[in-house]
Amino acid sequence: MGVVEGTSYSLVILAAIGFGIALLWTAVSSLLIQPKEYTCFNVTLDKLRDDPRVTVRLGTPISGYGQESRNRAARQRIPHRAYNDDSGTEHFQVQFHAKGPTGAALISADMYQDAAKQWQYAFLFVDVTNPTPQRLVLIGPQY
């Protein structure tokens, strides 16, 4: 075996190891690292459960889900949009459904992380659909 042949085998082995590491990183990051839209969903749902204006209208316990559908995958998928504002801060807008024993609502939130890496709201709206349609502005837009 010559120098060129040995070098080419080494390159193939290194490429295979690199591909394996990339594949492992993708699998671990998708299973263990929670996407930001799901973090926003969980923080917002906890805020709704603690707000008396929401619990009076929807009751307790309150559950949240992505889309109105019988399809489990559609219910677990949270519609979201990521964008950067004028100052370069990354925002996440999420929209999901919340349901309690006495009502249902469509939730719209715009969230971002501050300098301390804490989630803050640009706005949080609760559009109650049942029993009486109305909009609750839990956190209004700040201009």
Side-chain angles (χ1 to χ4, degrees):
M1 174 165 30
V3 174
V4 173
E5 190 176 358
T7 303
S8 65
Y9 283 139
S10 297
L11 290 176
V12 168
I13 290 170
L14 285 174
I17 290 172
F19 180 74
I21 289 172
L23 188 64
L24 181 65
W25 171 253
T26 302
V28 167
S29 66
S30 67
L31 294 175
L32 298 179
I33 300 172
Q34 187 176 38
K36 290 181 181 177
E37 63 268 15
Y38 289 103
T39 302
C40 294
F41 167 78
N42 289 330
V43 168
T44 303
L45 193 57
D46 288 340
K47 185 166 186 67
L48 295 176
R49 289 176 177 148
D50 293 337
D51 194 305
R53 295 172 290 181
V54 177
T55 56
V56 163
R57 287 164 178 85
L58 302 184
T60 55
I62 296 174
S63 62
Y65 52 93
Q67 299 174 3
E68 286 283 353
S69 174
R70 293 182 150 206
N71 183 341
R72 178 180 280 176
R75 290 176 66 85
Q76 291 177 345
R77 192 175 314 115
I78 306 299
H80 68 282
R81 181 176 79 98
Y83 71 95
N84 292 330
D85 64 7
D86 295 336
S87 64
T89 304
E90 186 176 33
H91 285 247
F92 284 90
Q93 288 183 342
V94 292
Q95 189 173 45
F96 61 92
H97 295 270
K99 193 174 197 177
T102 59
L106 179 66
I107 315 302
S108 301
D110 186 333
M111 299 183 75
Y112 62 94
Q113 283 184 316
D114 61 10
K117 299 294 183 189
Q118 297 296 317
W119 287 101
Q120 302 295 328
Y121 289 95
F123 64 79
L124 175 56
F125 300 137
V126 178
D127 292 316
V128 178
T129 55
N130 288 329
T132 305
Q134 60 183 307
R135 173 170 270 195
L136 300 175
V137 179
L138 300 186
I139 298 172
Q142 293 117 18
Y143 297 106

